[in-house]
Structure formats: structure tokens, C-alpha cells
């Protein structure tokens, strides 16, 4: 299931493109220059992309997505691009050390990866622009700058290293130090000293813990004759934080 290697049918060797190709003059080559400028994102046909596939969801996931780093041409009919592959989370290879937030043991997708999420990679390849199926609108999501917006179009916030299989760190939330899946609502703790975003399951554990603490404070700790506290142990739940299937988040978040 997890694709370890992306190999476009149009891939050519990096050496060849350096030796034989010239930088495309974008002013002269309007087709390539206007359509696929450096740094744009593109849909790329893979060996398994159906011929009639379009770039609308959900069939967009039949395409690969890449970021164009440079376009070079030998002549008008031989135009190649150096690209950095973007991964759909389902394509991520599993981490070298198992991680608690993997969706399943065989793959690298994490529970916080959203439906519109892509992961940037350092996997570079040269592909024929004929394998491109159009531009993709992919936004970078800076969680610290942009906040916890609803994500209903393609975005990336994380990078994947092909060598180490490591994903770059992203913003931590909640008492579990987990991450935000923009498809799954999180809840803010109303407690004045908290005011943090919590996963639903973590919120339940957190609230129960707080309530038990309150009850204990109200009733007061009693000590037995030996001076040992007989105070009952606060609720200690397991913080599993399993996200639900996609749920409507807009209404919930806008009320907070
Ligand atoms: Zn949590
Ligand atoms: Zn709290």
C-alpha cells in the first residue's frame, strides 16, 4: 500500500538533463513558461492514473503532486522539469521506529493528517512535462502564523526525509502533546488556568481529572492517625486521543 518509490513513467536521468538541456527561456516558450513556472505545484500522471482522470476530488488522489523546481528544454518537444515530490499521507513509507500516531503499522500516515494534506519531500526527480496534468493549488500552512483554520483545499505543513523517513515537527496541542487534524474538531478548556485546545477524548479525561480534584478539595483531605493521607487518587484515564472520522468542524470552532 505504501509507495516506497515514486517512479514516473516520464522520468529521465538528472545527469542527462544537466548535460543536454538549456534553461527554458520563459518569454520565448510561452507554453511551458506560462503554464509551469518554477515553484508551482503540478498534478503528475502516474503509471496507475486512469486515462480519463480529472483533478477534482476525490479522483485528484489518483495523481501524484510535485513542486516544480526548474524547467529545462532541449527543444520545443523535449521539455523536462526537475521536481520535488509531494506525498499524499497514504503514500508515506512507515517510520523506521514505530510511532504511536501511525494510522496503521504498515504505513507512514499519522492520525493528524487531514484529507487535504500533502507532505513535502526531498525526493527529487526529472520528469517530462507531458506527464503533467495541470497546476495544483497547494498552500503552505504555518500553524503558528495562520492558526487553526478549516482546511478545505490542498495544503502542506510538514516535510518528509527520504533517507531517515522522519517527518518534520509540527505544532503541539493538548495535554497529550499531540497534533491538530483539521478535519477533527478540538475543544478549548474553559478553565481560566488552561485555555488550551484539547482532543475530544483528552478533554473528557482532562475534565474528569479536574472535577475529581474539585471534589477532593471541597471535601478536604482527611488524615488517619499515622498521618498518611487517605485522599482518593484523582481519576487517571488513558489518554488515547483517537480522532473520529471526518466531522463538521466549522460550527463548533466558530462558537469558540
Ligand atoms: Zn490530546
Ligand atoms: Zn483545563
Amino acid at each position: 500500500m505504501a509507495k516506497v518509490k515514486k517512479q514516473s513513467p516520464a522520468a529521465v536521468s538528472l545527469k542527462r538533463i544537466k548535460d543536454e538541456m538549456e534553461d527554458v527561456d520563459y518569454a520565448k516558450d510561452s507554453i511551458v513558461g506560462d503554464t509551469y513556472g518554477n515553484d508551482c505545484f503540478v498534478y503528475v500522471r502516474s503509471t496507475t492514473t486512469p486515462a480519463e482522470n480529472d483533478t477534482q476530488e476525490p479522483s485528484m488522489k489518483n495523481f501524484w503532486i510535485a513542486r516544480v523546481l526548474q524547467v529545462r528544454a532541449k527543444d520545443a518537444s523535449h521539455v523536462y522539469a526537475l521536481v520535488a515530490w509531494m506525498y499524499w499521507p497514504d503514500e508515506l513509507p512507515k517510520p523506521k521506529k514505530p510511532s504511536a500516531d501511525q494510522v496503521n503499522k504498515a504505513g507512514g500516515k499519522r492520525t493528524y493528517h487531514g484529507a487535504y494534506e500533502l507532505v513535502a519531500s526531498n525526493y527529487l526527480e526529472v520528469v517530462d512535462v507531458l506527464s503533467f496534468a495541470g497546476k495544483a493549488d497547494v498552500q503552505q500552512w504555518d500553524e503558528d502564523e495562520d492558526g487553526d483554520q478549516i482546511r478545505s483545499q490542498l495544503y502542506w505543513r510538514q516535510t518528509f526525509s527520504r533517507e531517515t523517513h522522519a517527518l518534520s515537527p509540527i505544532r503541539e496541542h493538548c495535554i497529550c502533546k499531540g497534533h491538530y487534524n483539521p478535519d477533527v474538531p478540538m475543544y478549548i478548556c474553559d478553565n481560566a488556568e488552561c485555555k488550551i485546545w484539547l482532543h475530544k477524548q483528552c478533554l473528557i479525561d482532562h475534565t474528569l481529572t479536574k472535577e475529581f480534584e474539585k471534589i477532593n478539595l471541597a471535601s478536604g483531605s482527611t488524615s488517619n492517625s499515622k498521618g498518611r493521607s487517605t485522599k482518593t487518587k484523582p481519576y487517571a484515564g488513558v489518554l488515547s486521543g483517537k480522532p473520529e472520522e471526518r466531522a463538521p468542524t466549522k460550527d463548533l470552532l466558530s462558537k469558540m
Side-chain angles (χ1 to χ4, degrees):
M1 203 191 94
K3 209 172 287 161
V4 175
K5 185 162 163 52
K6 283 174 183 276
Q7 181 66 54
S8 166
V12 295
S13 88
L14 198 56
K15 186 179 181 311
R16 208 188 116 203
I17 207 163
K18 279 183 182 149
D19 292 349
E20 296 181 14
M21 311 288 167
E22 298 295 325
D23 269 336
V24 170
D25 181 338
Y26 297 112
K28 278 186 197 155
D29 196 332
S30 60
I31 297 167
V32 174
D34 290 350
T35 314
Y36 303 118
N38 293 351
D39 256 352
C40 75
F41 292 92
V42 289
Y43 291 99
V44 182
R45 285 182 197 289
S46 79
T47 44
T48 56
T49 309
E52 302 289 303
N53 202 63
D54 64 43
T55 57
Q56 303 305 303
E57 59 181 307
S59 55
M60 65 181 180
K61 294 208 173 180
N62 292 326
F63 289 107
W64 288 333
I65 293 191
R67 181 182 210 144
V68 175
L69 302 178
Q70 195 175 58
V71 180
R72 288 185 170 213
K74 192 178 181 185
D75 52 58
S77 55
H78 297 87
V79 184
Y80 297 92
L82 174 64
V83 301
W85 289 113
M86 306 291 289
Y87 281 76
W88 298 111
D90 283 318
E91 298 176 325
L92 287 171
K94 65 179 178 186
K96 304 226 164 164
K97 257 192 231 159
S99 171
D101 53 9
Q102 277 169 265
V103 172
N104 63 61
K105 283 182 196 155
K109 185 179 182 177
R110 304 302 204 274
T111 52
Y112 56 78
H113 284 139
Y116 293 90
E117 185 143 1
L118 286 157
V119 181
S121 83
N122 58 356
Y123 189 164
L124 305 187
E125 203 165 41
V126 174
V127 295
D128 191 326
V129 297
L130 292 176
S131 65
F132 291 178
K135 265 190 181 178
D137 187 7
V138 182
Q139 305 292 327
Q140 183 173 5
W141 176 20
D142 181 332
E143 287 185 273
D144 293 318
E145 289 282 313
D146 308 336
D148 309 320
Q149 296 165 12
I150 306 304
R151 295 280 145 178
S152 53
Q153 67 165 106
L154 296 174
Y155 66 90
W156 71 279
R157 58 176 157 168
Q158 197 173 31
T159 57
F160 170 76
S161 163
R162 214 183 149 195
E163 291 73 34
T164 63
H165 287 195
L167 292 166
S168 61
I170 55 170
R171 187 175 167 187
E172 286 180 357
H173 290 277
C174 193
I175 47 173
C176 70
K177 301 235 179 279
H179 307 290
Y180 174 49
N181 181 332
D183 304 336
V184 182
M186 288 182 86
Y187 302 87
I188 200 152
C189 178
D190 244 358
N191 209 316
E193 74 245 35
C194 293
K195 298 284 179 201
I196 55 164
W197 288 99
L198 297 157
H199 299 112
K200 188 179 175 185
Q201 188 54 48
C202 301
L203 173 74
I204 294 166
D205 287 317
H206 176 73
T207 308
L208 284 173
T209 306
K210 289 273 167 189
E211 286 307 312
F212 273 85
E213 279 170 6
K214 261 191 225 158
I215 292 164
N216 277 318
L217 282 175
S219 62
S221 306
T222 50
S223 298
N224 63 18
S225 55
K226 285 172 185 156
R228 274 194 205 118
S229 174
T230 56
K231 187 177 159 185
T232 47
K233 219 177 161 189
Y235 174 80
V238 179
L239 306 180
S240 60
K242 262 247 185 299
E244 297 175 337
E245 288 299 296
R246 294 192 62 198
T249 52
K250 209 163 226 160
D251 292 345
L252 279 163
L253 287 174
S254 64
K255 281 179 197 147
M256 287 173 175

